[in-house]
């Protein structure tokens, strides 16, 4: 008799918010994170990301710094001002290496150039999102 039970669900990994305006990078990172077992929420601007933070409570945020309307660092500065979400770890991605010190001042747990290897990014994600 065939087994009609659904497969057992393994321990679910963290929910990650990916804030990236470039569709090709967003799709690549979303797939890689999902394949690693994470629940991935995506936003292409800070307004959408803010809504997702409130509605879905991510355990980690990966954010581009250079975004339309409101930059990723402005978005994170706003998060840091809100006691309800200020402790969410943030990993910044950018093409501008000169922004690393600024990202650290905002309390980012990591800063990577967008050319970072996916394996290295996942190592750091695992440290902060489990």
């Amino acid at each position: 008799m065939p087994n009609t039970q659904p497969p057992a669900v393994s321990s679910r990994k963290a929910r990650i918010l990916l804030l990236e305006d470039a569709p090709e990078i967003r799709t690549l990172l979303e797939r890689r994170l999902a394949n690693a077992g994470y629940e991935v929420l995506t936003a292409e601007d800070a307004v959408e990301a803010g809504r997702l933070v409130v509605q879905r409570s991510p355990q980690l945020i990966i954010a581009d710094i250079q975004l339309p309307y409101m930059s990723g660092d402005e978005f994170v500065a706003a998060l840091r001002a809100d006691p309800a979400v200020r402790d969410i770890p943030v990993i910044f991605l950018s093409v501008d290496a000169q922004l690393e010190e600024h990202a650290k001042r905002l309390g980012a747990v990591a800063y990577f150039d967008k050319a970072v290897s996916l394996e290295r990014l996942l190592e750091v994600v695992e440290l902060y999102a489990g």
Side-chain angles (χ1 to χ4, degrees):
M1 175 174 207
N3 182 359
T4 58
Q5 296 289 327
V9 176
S10 63
S11 61
R12 171 168 257 173
K13 289 193 175 185
R15 181 177 305 120
I16 297 172
L17 171 58
L18 174 59
L19 173 54
E20 171 60 60
D21 62 324
E24 62 283 350
I25 295 172
R26 188 175 57 246
T27 299
L28 174 72
L29 292 174
E30 177 183 16
R31 286 181 184 160
R32 187 63 179 99
L33 291 164
N35 287 341
Y38 295 100
E39 179 182 349
V40 184
L41 311 171
T42 62
E44 61 185 54
D45 61 52
V47 173
E48 186 178 2
R51 181 182 53 78
L52 288 169
V53 167
V54 170
Q55 293 176 347
R56 303 292 307 277
S57 304
Q59 285 82 40
L60 176 71
I61 297 171
I62 300 174
D64 185 3
I65 291 181
Q66 297 168 323
L67 297 165
Y69 313 119
M70 173 188 251
S71 68
D73 58 330
E74 291 170 329
F75 171 72
V76 171
L79 287 180
R80 296 299 183 238
D82 183 342
V85 295
R86 75 168 42 136
D87 295 327
I88 299 173
V90 175
I91 297 171
F92 276 120
L93 295 175
S94 183
V95 295
D96 189 347
Q98 295 178 354
L99 296 174
E100 183 171 6
E101 285 304 315
H102 182 62
K104 287 179 183 177
R105 285 192 300 275
L106 285 172
V109 296
Y111 176 93
F112 292 109
D113 182 280
K114 286 190 180 181
V116 65
S117 75
L118 292 176
E119 290 74 25
R120 177 66 184 129
L121 180 61
L122 281 173
E123 287 173 7
V124 174
V125 166
E126 187 69 28
L127 287 174
Y128 292 97

